[in-house]
Amino acid sequence: MDKFFFRALLFAVAAGLLLAPATTRGQAFAPSGAGAEEDPDDDDDDDDDDDDALEEGYVPGASASPTLKPPSVLDEAGDLDDDEDDEDDEDDEDDEGDPEDIFGAGAEDLLDEATEKDEFPPEEEVWEEASTKFFDANGYFRLRADLFHKFDMGFPVSSGYTPFDRPLEQTNDIDWNSGTNTQCTQEGKKPKWCRNRTLAGANIRLRFNPIINLSENVRILASFDFLDNLVLGSTPEGGGSMLGSDTSGNFGFVTPPRNPWVPLESFTSSQDAPSWRNTMQNAISVRAIWGEVLLKNIGMLKFGRMPSHFGLGLLANDGAGVDDDYGDVADRIMFATKLFGIILGVGWDYPSSGPSSMKWSQSSGKAYDVSQVDDVNQWLAVIAYKQEREEEERLLSEGKPAISAGLYTVFRTQVLSSENWNIVGASADNIQFVKRDAWALISSVWFRLLTGNTRLELEGVIIGGKIANIEQEQWIDDEYDVLQWGLAFEFEQRFLDDALYVLFKAGYASGDSNVEGITPQGGLAMQNEGKGDHRISAFRFDPDYNIDLILFEELMGQMAAAAYFRPSIGYWFLKNTLIAQLDDIYSLASEPMSTFNLTVRYQTKDHFMAMLQYAYLVPLSGFQDLPGLAGGHRNLSHPQTLQGFLGIVF
């Protein structure tokens, strides 16, 4: 018994030493999110000022082309301010809309050490002010409820076309009325649910971003999603699938016998954990894991799979906002440094490497790329400038402007592409090589001007290149040019001690006359078949660059081949606590449409957030000539949505 207590005591002491914050020499990491340590240097010394240029400024990124979308450079997904709300978080009210730091939260201290020329202070002074927190984390938990009404816009079921999914009961057979089997598309008596035009439900997500600070120079970062956008009630007990053979002898997923204690879903009393048996998503999704190493007096090295963001998020967006859904991730090796206040970076990306040596029967071991000629090769370079936070605040207090800007350029090539390799369990016999001879040059520029209570910010993108073959699985020598461009503009003015603000957003994405409908259904080959215009020119904004709640967010999925103008007005009824914002989004593709958004948000100092949003779309003359409408024009319904949000940010 004495040995047991002695060992327990040793274990407790060892655990305490391991978990205690490590005192280190030099400036410490300052990871973003709740609990991050503040810089202890409160004097007027400017040693650390250069690092703030990275904290809220530019984040290099990449493009979003239909076939040539490169991932982009971005810091960790630590900014939880929702861009769609157009309001700042409680901790940094003056920095709304600022792009994230290219090096991630806390890297400002690292880069400062890499470029600092002054000698370190005496050992005892540094020892007293430096303390590195070994483990830190940030993220959020959210529950969202959505109600979509008349999103089919009145398109007849018989047309086979709708801009949004119909209620499933309108297209599937239903056993009802003493065994009568009918569809809502058939003539005759129909049940009342054939008149239903509303879809509703709720979903949840936990975003967890841990940071392991091994020293003041080395750290590991990651991003996980738990129950990522899991629809509530979608994994009831007693259901699911299994691998087996159906009645025709075909092997695959089949429906197993039900749990005898849950013979029908009507008897469900619990939810099963998500798995391949009952959903298409994993319970835990590993989004990104990467390392950051400060090379003193040289710069910073980043490597791994990391979130990717640039500027306003027009090209590449990390999806770090609490109401975002996607988030770009790059497999990247990058080096960056700072010279005379200018951020310089170069990197190598792995956008697509094709099939690996991993076998269906191999669950572990080292795998490797089995072909080099099918790789998408990508090189990147970035240059940016942003004034330090203290310098920005000083300039603004003196009535002077503060300017930030960044330029990101990517060059990518692909000779051959390997098709059918990413099918689970596919063998080498399934893989087919197709010649592409593709290249693209992508450039994006970001600019921001701050003056007093005014913010002006814009981002522009241009993509140029060529691709010799757009067929999926065969070679046809039919070269296409790639020329796409887009622009996003934001202007904000605040009044009444920042309680009242007006915001104006506008943007444009180049279109393509070959694309029919509101999205490029069927792929490039089908859209361009038999047409003489050999140019791929439709540009699309990143889906996490939020503009409205209906047209671009749900019906189209993202802003593409259109222009929009969005004036907004907002007012803080309780400062940093209760806000309301009204938006009017006028959209124009071939025909105009208009959307009205109303948002009310409540947040507390202990990180709780609640939000209610309503939107109403007026089609005007839009959507009139889409496929499936015999005779063209008709009166379309006006879609509406009501969305609720509950969240906790940490």
Side-chain angles (χ1 to χ4, degrees), residues 427-432:
S427 65
D429 297 335
N430 301 113
I431 298 172
Q432 181 176 355

Side-chain angles (χ1 to χ4, degrees), residues 501-540:
Y501 66 91
V502 292
L503 177 66
F504 178 76
K505 292 185 177 183
Y508 174 81
S510 59
D512 194 328
S513 59
N514 293 343
V515 176
E516 296 182 0
I518 60 175
T519 56
Q521 299 291 335
L524 288 173
M526 179 176 294
Q527 287 285 340
N528 290 276
E529 186 176 0
K531 300 175 182 177
D533 181 9
H534 283 209
R535 176 174 292 177
I536 301 171
S537 55
F539 179 77
R540 59 189 177 100

